[in-house]
Amino acid sequence: MSTFPTFPTDCTSLLCKHLTTEIFETLKDKKTANGFTLEDAIRSGVENPDSGIGVYAGDLESYSLFASLFDPIIESYHGFSASDSHQSDLDPSHLDAPNPDPEGAYILSTRIRVGRNVANLPLGPAISMEQRNQVEQDVSTALGTLTGALSGSYYPLEGMSETVSRELIEDHFLFKAGDRFLESAGLNHDWPEGRGIYHNDDKTFLVWINEEDQLRIISMQPGGDILEVFTRLTTAISEIERSVPFSYSKHLGYTTSCPTNLGTAMRASVHIKLPKLSADMEHFKTICDRHHLQIRGIHGEHSKSEGGIYDISNKRRLGVTEVQCVQDMVDGVVELIAEEKGLQSTSSNRQ
Ligand code: ADP
Ligand code: ILO
C-alpha cells in the first residue's frame, strides 16, 4: 500500500482517529516474520468505515512492529498504556457473586467466554490453511480427552447440515458465518474448512475452533448462577492448557486478533430482561458506563434487542483480572435489577 487510505468524513473508528500520515509513512513498508503488513492490519477498518475499532493483528509481533498505531488504539479502548502490564486471576474463590436473581425474574442466561490462540503460530488473519487445519486437529484431539461434565463431541462446520447450524446459531451456541468485519480481516479464508464447535451434551461447555480466535472457550447456562459458570470455565481452561500452549505476553496478556479482546480475552454476559429501564436508554447507559459494561442485542455483536432483553457484559478486558471482569458484570447487574424493580413498583403504584 503506498497511499494513505481515505475515510468518510463521519468515520468515528479508532483506526481513522489514530492513523496519521506520519504513522502511515513509518509503518507502510514493514512486515512481520509471518508476512503481515500494515495494509493487512487496517483492511477491515478501511473496507468497513462504520467499524468501532477497525484493526486486527496477524501475530503477536504485529502489536510491537505496528505499535505506533496499535498502542494509541489500545489506550483509547482499554485505558491501558504502553508501560502498563497485565495481571491474570482465574481463581473463582476471589469472586463475590451470589446469584443476583435467585427467582429467575430477570436473568435468562449467563455466558462467559475467553479467546485463546496457540503459542508461536500466526493469528487467524495471517494463518495458512495447513496451520489452521493443524490447530483444528490438535485442539479437537485435546478436547476429546476431557472427562466428566466437560466431556463432549466435536462437530466440524464442513458437512454440518443447514438445519443443525441454523438451530445452533438461533439458540446462541454457534458463531454466524459471513461477518463482514472478519471477512475483510482475512479471518474467513477457506471457510468453512478448519472451523467447528465442540460441546458437552447439555451445551453448558462449548469451544469454537478457528473463528475470530483459534479457540473461544465458553461456559453458559440458563439463569444467574454466575459463580457456577465461571468455575466451569476456569476448570476447562486449565484442562485444555495442559495440552495446548496459549500465546501470552506479560504486557498484553492473552494474545487475540482483535485488540478489544487483549488481556483476559474475556466477555462475561447475561441476557437480561429490563423493559422499564431500557425505555430510558440514557439512564440505562449511565448505569452501564459506571460499571464498565457494554450493551449488545441478543443475537451477538451488531444485533438488536428483542422484547426488552439485552446482552450486558464487561467492557474492560486488559489491565484488569478475569475476576475483576466478572465482578464488573455482577455488580452492574445487581444495580440494573434494583433499578428495574424500582421502576416496576413505581408504575404499579400509579395504576
Ligand atoms: P462474543 O461473545 O464472542 O463476543 P457475540 O457477541 O457474537 O460474540 O455472541 C456470540 C453468541 O453468544 C451470540 O449468539 C449471543 O447471542 C450469545 N450470547 C452472548 N451472551 C449470552 C448469554 N448471556 N446467554 C445466552 N447467549 C449469549
Ligand atoms: N472490527 C469490528 C469489531 C470490533 C470488536 N468486536 C470483535 C468481535 N472483536 C469493529 O471495529 O467494529
Side-chain angles (χ1 to χ4, degrees), residues 13-15 44-45 48 50-56 77 113 179-182 185 187 211-213 216 256-261 267 294 296 301-302 317:
S13 71
L14 294 182
L15 168 65
S44 190
N48 301 283
D50 58 337
S51 293
I53 318 299
V55 290
Y56 288 86
Y77 186 85
R113 62 85 166 152
D179 180 289
R180 68 189 157 92
F181 301 92
L182 301 187
L187 276 153
E211 194 241 9
E212 180 177 313
D213 291 302
R216 283 284 168 100
T256 54
S257 60
C258 176
T260 63
N261 281 319
R267 196 169 84 84
Q294 188 181 51
R296 293 187 183 185
E301 197 173 25
H302 311 114
R317 308 194 217 289

Side-chain angles (χ1 to χ4, degrees), residues 30-198:
K30 293 191 191 290
K31 221 181 227 193
T32 69
N34 293 302
F36 198 73
T37 62
L38 178 70
E39 185 177 6
D40 297 327
I42 68 175
R43 188 173 301 108
S44 190
V46 172
E47 291 183 0
N48 301 283
D50 58 337
S51 293
I53 318 299
V55 290
Y56 288 86
D59 40 32
L60 180 55
E61 190 193 347
S62 305
Y63 286 109
S64 48
L65 191 67
F66 306 121
S68 50
L69 175 62
F70 276 109
D71 280 352
I73 290 180
I74 290 169
E75 177 139 26
S76 284
Y77 186 85
H78 294 280
F80 181 88
S81 81
S83 57
D84 289 337
S85 59
H86 181 74
Q87 295 284 324
S88 176
D89 180 4
L90 281 156
D91 184 342
S93 72
H94 297 163
L95 187 69
D96 179 15
N99 188 339
D101 179 30
E103 277 136 37
Y106 302 93
I107 301 178
L108 279 72
S109 52
T110 303
R111 173 182 184 268
I112 312 181
R113 62 85 166 152
V114 291
R116 291 289 185 269
N117 290 279
V118 180
N120 305 316
L121 272 183
L123 297 165
I127 204 165
S128 69
M129 189 172 79
E130 291 70 29
Q131 288 169 318
R132 190 189 305 108
N133 290 345
Q134 192 62 49
V135 169
E136 180 191 36
Q137 195 176 323
D138 293 349
V139 175
S140 57
T141 303
L143 293 171
T145 66
L146 297 177
T147 53
L150 303 180
S151 107
S153 306
Y154 177 61
Y155 305 89
L157 231 55
E158 234 184 339
M160 186 182 283
S161 79
E162 178 70 14
T163 321
V164 169
S165 80
R166 192 172 348 101
E167 259 175 35
L168 285 170
I169 293 168
E170 277 168 11
D171 293 343
H172 308 285
F173 297 123
L174 181 62
F175 48 90
K176 296 179 226 170
D179 180 289
R180 68 189 157 92
F181 301 92
L182 301 187
E183 179 68 32
S184 303
L187 276 153
N188 292 345
H189 285 160
D190 313 305
W191 185 278
E193 199 176 325
R195 280 82 176 182
I197 180 173
Y198 171 95

